[in-house]
Amino acid sequence: MRAVSVLDEILQAKRNEVTMLHRPAVRDLLRSQALDAPPTRDFAAALRRDPLLAVIAEIKRRSPSKGELAPDLDVPVTARAYEAGGAACISVLTDRPYFGGSIDDLYEVRHAVAIPVLRKDFTVDEIQVYETRALGADAILLIAAALPDDAHLADLHSLATEIGLAVLVETHDDSEIERALRAGARIIGVNARDLGTFDEDLGLGERLAKLIPAEVIAIAESAIRSTGDAARMAGSGFDAVLVGEMLVRSSEPTSEVRAMAEITRVARA
């Protein structure tokens, strides 16, 4: 019998959460608010900074592998510090049980900055797509490992696109990149952290970057703890890096973001 991974635990908790969103009054309100929401900010365009590396700076309070990172994080102040450093976009973790986030964090960031905002959570159901749009996010995360059915991944991707969200599809191996492309992904992330074991390997990104077509935006996620790590990913052909732990623990996040945003990237063939 396969051991239950951290990802399995998170997904089960998320499915339980989603049942609350399917109460008729809540479901109808979210759909209505999503369809009436104002235009989104262009997440994909913000990540096209050729020849420079784009930085997605993350609001992250806690992680299952590292525990508390920044439990008392001042979200609006941090978001503005990221923007001042030249962040292209901001990612906000909204999962509460495992990452200490909330939809309030997303709301505060959306109103504190002018750059696009990514909602980072574990999306398993279409109602979460409507919720994400209703909350004011500009982009949504779909994790290939959390959505093993190809049709389900494609359906969620299509719905998100239809209602105006950009979609970041997260992958961590060759087959998941293929699945993402079949689903229509125009933005693909490679997570250096295995969500089953939480082991990290930046070499994974170096190997997988070349499998992402040049016209698709490629984002290196996780395990980036220095400007040198960001430069390593830029040298592998990534268009952007998504950085959380390093920045929320930094006493000078504006300077850290600025240093990464000045890195010249190597274009993929």
Side-chain angles (χ1 to χ4, degrees), residues 45-135:
L47 298 177
R48 294 288 192 188
R49 298 188 68 238
D50 293 337
L52 297 177
L53 184 70
V55 179
I56 305 173
E58 189 160 79
I59 299 295
K60 183 176 185 179
R61 298 176 185 273
R62 184 168 74 231
S63 83
S65 59
K66 299 293 179 65
E68 299 292 346
L69 300 175
D72 299 320
L73 193 69
D74 188 320
V75 171
V77 168
T78 302
R80 286 191 286 267
Y82 291 164
E83 185 177 38
C89 308
I90 295 181
S91 168
V92 183
L93 271 154
T94 56
D95 175 80
R96 185 182 297 277
Y98 293 88
F99 290 88
S102 71
I103 59 175
D104 290 337
D105 288 345
L106 176 62
Y107 180 85
E108 290 187 352
V109 170
R110 187 67 170 79
H111 290 83
V113 300
I115 55 180
V117 179
L118 165 72
R119 183 190 186 186
K120 195 174 180 187
D121 209 313
F122 297 83
T123 301
V124 295
D125 189 280
E126 69 170 25
I127 196 61
Q128 293 169 282
V129 179
Y130 286 110
E131 180 191 41
T132 298
R133 184 73 169 92
L135 290 171

Side-chain angles (χ1 to χ4, degrees), residues 22-244:
H22 275 290
R23 289 179 296 177
V26 176
R27 182 187 64 227
D28 293 346
L29 178 62
L30 289 174
R31 286 177 174 167
S32 175
Q33 290 178 336
L35 296 176
D36 291 339
T40 54
R41 299 162 182 170
D42 197 332
F43 182 77
L47 298 177
R48 294 288 192 188
R49 298 188 68 238
D50 293 337
L52 297 177
L53 184 70
V55 179
I56 305 173
E58 189 160 79
I59 299 295
K60 183 176 185 179
R61 298 176 185 273
R62 184 168 74 231
S63 83
S65 59
K66 299 293 179 65
E68 299 292 346
L69 300 175
D72 299 320
L73 193 69
D74 188 320
V75 171
V77 168
T78 302
R80 286 191 286 267
Y82 291 164
E83 185 177 38
C89 308
I90 295 181
S91 168
V92 183
L93 271 154
T94 56
D95 175 80
R96 185 182 297 277
Y98 293 88
F99 290 88
S102 71
I103 59 175
D104 290 337
D105 288 345
L106 176 62
Y107 180 85
E108 290 187 352
V109 170
R110 187 67 170 79
H111 290 83
V113 300
I115 55 180
V117 179
L118 165 72
R119 183 190 186 186
K120 195 174 180 187
D121 209 313
F122 297 83
T123 301
V124 295
D125 189 280
E126 69 170 25
I127 196 61
Q128 293 169 282
V129 179
Y130 286 110
E131 180 191 41
T132 298
R133 184 73 169 92
L135 290 171
D138 305 294
I140 190 170
L141 175 71
L142 297 180
I143 302 173
L147 300 164
D149 181 83
D150 284 357
H152 189 36
L153 174 60
D155 286 347
L156 291 178
H157 189 283
S158 178
L159 173 62
T161 302
E162 285 174 11
I163 64 174
L165 291 167
V167 185
L168 166 56
V169 181
E170 179 177 296
T171 65
H172 75 278
D173 62 26
D174 308 49
S175 65
E176 289 182 356
I177 289 177
E178 292 174 4
R179 291 182 61 222
L181 292 170
R182 288 198 301 270
R186 308 305 298 164
I187 308 171
I188 292 179
V190 175
N191 196 338
R193 179 181 294 115
D194 186 307
L195 292 179
T197 64
F198 278 79
D199 292 338
E200 297 176 347
D201 178 15
L202 281 180
L204 181 70
E206 291 176 312
R207 182 175 69 82
L208 296 182
K210 63 178 67 72
L211 302 180
I212 301 174
E215 66 272 15
V216 175
I217 296 171
I219 301 172
E221 304 178 53
S222 299
I224 296 168
R225 314 214 187 283
S226 67
T227 302
D229 288 341
R232 180 178 170 185
M233 295 298 96
S236 300
F238 283 99
D239 300 286
V241 290
L242 192 156
V243 187

Side-chain angles (χ1 to χ4, degrees), residues 247-260:
L247 293 177
V248 296
R249 286 180 159 174
S250 174
S251 60
E252 298 182 354
T254 297
S255 298
E256 298 277 16
V257 171
R258 182 175 294 116
M260 290 186 286

